[in-house]
Amino acid sequence: MLSNTNRFNAYRIMWVLVFFDLPTETKKERRAASQFRKKLIDDGFTMFQFSIYLRHCPSRENAKVHTKRVKSILPKHGKVCILEITDKQFEKMELFHGVKPIDIPQPIQQLELF
């Protein structure tokens, strides 16, 4: 039996990441790609980037269940990669959000009237 301290530690909690590059040249391919994304969302995955979805899983066993589900919905064409990592590994990820620089207008001189 697992104690509460071991039950939810950073080495047991898992993340499942699904990376994919699917063709979208034809209407049929776009539909297949869209259906794949929808099925991922229906299974609890969240969009991380346009072609990267991730899901938090409380255990390795649960991660295996969701990995198996993703394998069962693979589209005919394109590339799909499934990666399972621990919460401890996930926390080491560094995220950078680029910000488009904008020109800040100079403040306008305001005339004060008494």
Side-chain angles (χ1 to χ4, degrees):
M1 175 134 178
L2 292 172
S3 69
N4 281 341
T5 57
N6 281 340
R7 190 168 178 199
F8 294 110
N9 73 34
Y11 295 99
R12 281 196 46 80
I13 296 171
M14 301 293 291
W15 288 88
V16 178
L17 288 86
V18 179
F19 307 84
F20 54 91
D21 186 13
L22 304 177
T24 56
E25 293 177 9
T26 67
K27 187 174 182 178
K28 187 176 180 180
E29 290 172 339
R30 284 189 296 276
R31 180 171 160 79
S34 179
Q35 285 179 335
F36 182 67
R37 281 189 198 91
K38 184 180 180 328
K39 288 177 184 176
L40 287 175
I41 292 168
D42 289 347
D43 191 35
F45 283 82
T46 303
M47 183 191 296
F48 186 68
Q49 290 184 1
F50 187 68
S51 293
I52 302 173
Y53 282 67
L54 54 82
R55 186 183 202 292
H56 182 265
C57 297
S59 67
R60 291 182 186 275
E61 296 78 18
N62 187 258
K64 294 289 180 204
V65 167
H66 292 286
T67 296
K68 187 176 179 180
R69 284 186 190 159
V70 172
K71 288 179 181 179
S72 74
I73 61 167
L74 291 173
K76 263 187 173 177
H77 304 287
K79 297 176 186 174
V80 177
C81 172
I82 305 168
L83 176 65
E84 295 177 13
I85 60 173
T86 65
D87 195 46
K88 194 68 174 170
Q89 293 167 320
F90 187 80
E91 80 178 15
K92 294 182 184 213
M93 183 185 315
E94 293 185 59
L95 296 174
F96 303 94
H97 297 276
V99 178
K100 183 178 178 181
I102 57 171
D103 293 329
I104 300 173
Q106 294 296 324
I108 300 172
Q109 290 285 336
Q110 185 167 350
L111 182 61
E112 291 185 21
L113 299 172
F114 295 95

